[in-house]
Amino acid sequence: MKEITIEDKAEKKGTEKIIKELHQIALDFKELETEKEILEITLKAAENLLNFNLCNILFVKEEKFVSAASSSEFEEEKRSISDTSIAAKTYNEKRSFIIDDLQNHPEALSVKSIYKSALSIPIGRYGVFQAAAPDKNFFTENDLELAEILISHFTAALDRVYAQDKITEQKKYLSTVLKAIPEIIILLDKEGNYLNILTSDSDDLVDAKDKLIGKNVKNILPKNIADKYLKYCKMVYQEEKQKSFDYRLNIKGQEKYFDVIFSPVTSKEKKDKIIVSTIRNITELKINENQLKKQKIYFEQLFNNSTEAIVLLDNDFRVLKINKKFELLFGFKESELLNKNLDDFLLPDDFIKKGREYTKKVKNDEKVEAESIRKTKSGGKINVYLQGFPIKLVDGQIGIYALYKDITERKKKEKQIQYLSFHDEMTGLYNRRYFENELNRLNSSRKYPITIVIGDLDELKMVNDTYGHKKGDEYIINAADILKSTARAEDVVSRIGGDEFAVILPTTNQKEAESFCLRIQKNIEKLVMYNKLCK
């Protein structure tokens, strides 16, 4: 058994004392908040407690060793962690070294001549601690163990401070982000007490932030809103599911609308649970929504009460909506046409081609206006004035708006007016205007020879005076009927005066004209004979 000397006992007591002091340093580290403070105490302990006069703490920055703290006489160097050096070997292999003869060590050839021995200890992922001495074989295993204890406390302190710095940085970042968003973030407990408030717009708070924190919602908000807050806080706390509602609040004399979402947040250990309420100002949205509702009501009333038939279509001409007038005009119910192609129901066979052309135009973002014929559910045909408008938004056409106006009566009147402008109202024969127009037209035609037969009624005045104008009108009408029945389809029979008639006979020579006159005479004789027999 080895005999324990007085020197051994003294060394042992000295080591125990140093270990106690290192333990105290570890406790002191817990009170420190910065890297600089930790570096200063570590360097001071290495110099004064461990008697290392030449110390250097190297941190790794961008793949290089950079001196973070060192004794005043220690030479500072910048070396890459991939270079051949004692520091690089210590850092890369993550183990400590004692070098008894630096000047003859292959990885320490470039050190200053005053350095004869050294120890090197890794500082976790941060770097390397080194101490040097002017004598060979200066450092013992005991020195290395004590230094490793110091560096372990140093590393733990760095871990704590860096972690705290990271947390602080994240909190600042989160706080900045939360303050930048337009919503109000309010932290509540399940009883509805304000724990914290984050917002970039204090105008949406009912009171100053510092006056709200610590208060209960029932003492801040109107009762109907506060009751909802309390109800939803408890529900979210128990069910751990999001809940939301919107409400109206008068803030400083101004009506505002808000939407609030309640979300449960539980700590990792599931010990603490809070309610995060995200409140969004939706006043502008509500105003726009109310305006849209009014516009929709106006539109619905105009749409349904319009005197014109209206249909809304998608871009494929499928029916989305029809109004009452449309149902009355065409006889279809909305349910019969919904999502179906309108052309399949309204276009008569002889208008299909033209109708498809109108459809194509309005599909291609063109406005269409035209008069046309459309058919009803019963198969009848009506004249319509139609308009087709593309419905457009910023990003393009979204549908078609079509209007139909019944112009059947107008068309009948126009046809009647047109008829009367060229016909004699009493007899139905062409009038003098048409007769003269036809003469001009035939004058430049190739329908030669042309014969014109002109005649009048004898004793019409005597008939009017003796039997009245009604009898005289019958006299004229009978003459007109005889001329019409005698003439060919291409002949132009006209009444050109009170008792005067004219007939244009295209491609007719004199002999054929004489034959025509003889037929007129025979038809007159037949009428006279018939009248005598009827008496």
Side-chain angles (χ1 to χ4, degrees):
M1 179 180 292
K2 182 180 178 181
E3 185 178 349
I4 300 175
T5 65
I6 293 174
E7 291 79 3
D8 292 336
K9 288 181 179 179
E11 184 181 352
K12 185 177 180 182
K13 284 184 178 179
T15 300
E16 289 176 352
K17 182 182 177 184
I18 291 171
I19 290 174
K20 285 182 180 179
E21 292 189 26
L22 290 173
H23 178 68
Q24 183 57 48
I25 288 172
L27 296 176
D28 293 341
F29 276 156
K30 292 182 179 179
E31 303 300 320
L32 304 181
E33 296 181 355
T34 67
E35 176 191 282
K36 183 180 179 181
E37 293 174 320
I38 297 169
L39 283 167
E40 288 174 354
I41 289 182
T42 302
L43 191 61
K44 186 177 179 181
E47 291 175 341
N48 299 333
L49 188 59
L50 302 181
N51 293 318
F52 298 163
N53 295 324
L54 299 169
C55 301
N56 193 18
I57 299 174
L58 298 168
F59 280 174
V60 175
K61 305 286 185 184
E62 297 180 354
E63 302 297 307
K64 289 185 180 295
F65 288 114
V66 178
S67 181
S70 62
S71 301
S72 58
E73 297 179 16
F74 204 99
E75 181 185 12
E76 293 187 11
E77 306 179 75
K78 282 190 178 182
R79 289 177 175 271
S80 171
I81 63 173
S82 61
D83 290 348
T84 300
S85 67
I86 294 170
K89 186 174 183 180
T90 304
Y91 180 77
N92 293 324
E93 295 185 11
K94 299 293 186 243
R95 62 192 181 97
S96 304
F97 295 96
I98 294 177
I99 299 92
D100 293 323
D101 186 1
L102 275 174
Q103 299 301 319
N104 294 309
H105 195 282
E107 292 170 322
L109 293 177
S110 63
V111 298
K112 290 176 69 173
S113 60
I114 62 170
Y115 303 150
K116 298 296 189 294
S117 60
L119 60 78
S120 186
I121 302 170
I123 311 172
R125 66 182 182 278
Y126 305 115
V128 175
F129 169 82
Q130 291 186 322
D135 302 314
K136 293 181 182 180
N137 302 308
F138 180 83
F139 297 101
T140 66
E141 289 294 332
N142 190 54
D143 291 330
L144 181 63
E145 289 177 5
L146 292 173
E148 286 181 332
I149 292 173
L150 173 63
I151 297 307
S152 68
H153 294 330
F154 171 59
T155 305
L158 287 178
D159 285 340
R160 178 183 59 78
V161 169
Y162 291 160
Q164 188 61 42
D165 287 346
K166 191 172 183 180
I167 290 171
T168 302
E169 185 180 344
Q170 288 176 340
K171 283 183 177 179
K172 286 181 179 178
Y173 175 76
L174 181 60
S175 178
T176 303
V177 171
L178 290 176
K179 287 179 181 178
I181 61 177
E183 287 83 2
I184 301 172
I185 308 295
I186 298 181
L187 307 184
L188 303 159
D189 62 17
K190 66 175 180 179
E191 304 300 330
N193 295 308
Y194 289 89
L195 303 177
N196 199 3
I197 299 172
L198 295 165
T199 180
S200 60
D201 188 1
S202 58
D203 289 342
D204 285 341
L205 295 175
V206 296
D207 207 341
K209 178 179 169 181
D210 56 350
K211 292 182 180 179
L212 294 175
I213 295 174
K215 300 285 184 65
N216 192 280
V217 293
K218 64 185 178 184
N219 299 321
I220 301 297
L221 300 174
K223 186 176 184 306
N224 61 325
I225 299 173
D227 288 345
K228 275 194 172 184
Y229 261 78
L230 295 171
K231 175 185 174 182
Y232 279 85
C233 281
K234 289 180 181 178
M235 288 173 65
V236 170
Y237 190 90
Q238 293 170 356
E239 300 174 14
E240 295 191 351
K241 293 180 180 178
Q242 277 191 350
K243 302 286 182 182
S244 67
F245 73 93
D246 57 75
Y247 58 93
R248 184 176 62 182
L249 194 61
N250 188 302
I251 299 178
K252 300 171 186 176
Q254 185 179 358
E255 289 288 328
K256 294 186 177 184
Y257 294 85
F258 299 94
D259 174 77
V260 57
I261 300 174
F262 297 92
S263 305
V265 177
T266 308
S267 66
K268 199 171 183 180
E269 297 79 15
K270 294 190 176 179
K271 292 180 181 178
D272 301 319
K273 190 189 296 183
I274 60 172
I275 311 300
V276 176
S277 62
T278 307
I279 303 169
R280 182 166 57 106
N281 187 325
I282 58 170
T283 304
E284 188 174 348
L285 184 67
K286 276 288 184 182
I287 291 172
N288 291 336
E289 188 179 288
N290 289 336
Q291 287 177 343
L292 285 173
K293 283 181 180 177
K294 287 181 181 178
Q295 289 175 1
K296 186 178 179 182
I297 292 170
Y298 294 152
F299 171 78
E300 290 288 344
Q301 290 182 355
L302 288 171
F303 184 82
N304 287 321
N305 298 325
S306 173
T307 57
E308 296 185 1
I310 306 174
V311 57
L312 294 180
L313 308 154
D314 64 15
N315 283 333
D316 293 320
F317 224 62
R318 291 186 298 241
V319 175
L320 301 176
K321 189 176 182 65
I322 64 174
N323 70 349
K324 294 175 182 177
K325 183 65 177 181
F326 189 98
E327 290 183 345
L328 289 171
L329 181 60
F330 293 105
F332 291 101
K333 296 292 183 184
E334 186 176 86
S335 58
E336 296 176 280
L337 300 177
L338 202 61
N339 296 319
K340 295 174 182 176
N341 190 294
L342 188 64
D343 283 347
D344 294 340
F345 294 85
L346 298 191
L347 289 180
D349 292 342
D350 48 345
F351 281 84
I352 288 177
K353 184 178 179 181
K354 194 64 178 178
R356 302 287 189 202
E357 288 177 6
Y358 293 153
T359 301
K360 187 177 180 180
K361 280 186 178 181
V362 77
K363 279 184 180 181
N364 292 330
D365 198 21
E366 293 183 48
K367 179 182 174 181
V368 170
E369 292 184 79
E371 292 183 358
S372 189
I373 305 291
R374 291 296 180 266
K375 65 180 181 180
T376 64
K377 182 180 178 181
S378 62
K381 293 181 181 180
I382 56 175
N383 293 89
V384 295
Y385 170 68
L386 62 89
Q387 294 174 284
F389 303 92
I391 303 172
K392 294 183 287 185
L393 294 180
V394 176
D395 54 351
Q397 183 171 324
I398 62 167
I400 296 163
Y401 189 70
L403 296 90
Y404 296 88
K405 184 175 183 179
D406 186 359
I407 58 170
T408 304
E409 288 302 315
R410 193 195 84 193
K411 279 292 182 181
K412 284 181 181 178
K413 288 179 181 178
E414 286 178 358
K415 194 173 181 181
Q416 185 179 11
I417 291 169
Q418 186 179 17
Y419 178 86
L420 292 175
S421 66
F422 290 108
H423 288 78
D424 174 55
E425 189 175 0
M426 180 190 296
T427 62
L429 298 180
Y430 290 116
N431 59 18
R432 188 180 191 89
R433 181 194 298 174
Y434 188 84
F435 173 77
E436 291 174 350
N437 287 344
E438 279 298 292
L439 281 180
N440 292 330
R441 186 180 69 82
L442 291 171
N443 191 41
S444 58
S445 73
R446 297 177 180 273
K447 296 184 177 182
Y448 293 118
I450 297 174
T451 299
I452 300 174
V453 178
I454 297 176
D456 60 7
L457 297 179
D458 292 337
E459 299 179 354
L460 176 60
K461 185 177 183 306
M462 184 271 291
V463 172
N464 285 331
D465 292 342
T466 306
Y467 301 104
H469 284 277
K470 186 176 180 181
K471 198 66 176 177
D473 290 344
E474 289 181 12
Y475 190 26
I476 293 170
I477 292 169
N478 287 336
D481 290 340
I482 290 171
L483 289 174
K484 279 191 287 187
S485 64
T486 308
R488 301 167 301 183
E490 64 269 27
D491 298 337
V492 179
V493 182
S494 307
R495 182 188 177 195
I496 61 174
D499 63 347
E500 291 182 294
F501 298 89
V503 182
I504 301 174
L505 304 172
T507 61
T508 303
N509 55 33
Q510 183 178 350
K511 186 177 181 181
E512 292 170 330
E514 290 174 353
S515 175
F516 172 74
C517 292
L518 287 173
R519 290 199 302 275
I520 292 174
Q521 186 63 41
K522 287 181 180 180
N523 288 333
I524 291 172
E525 291 173 357
K526 286 180 182 179
L527 179 62
V528 172
M529 183 64 70
Y530 175 78
N531 289 335
K532 286 181 180 179
L533 290 173
C534 291
K535 287 183 179 179

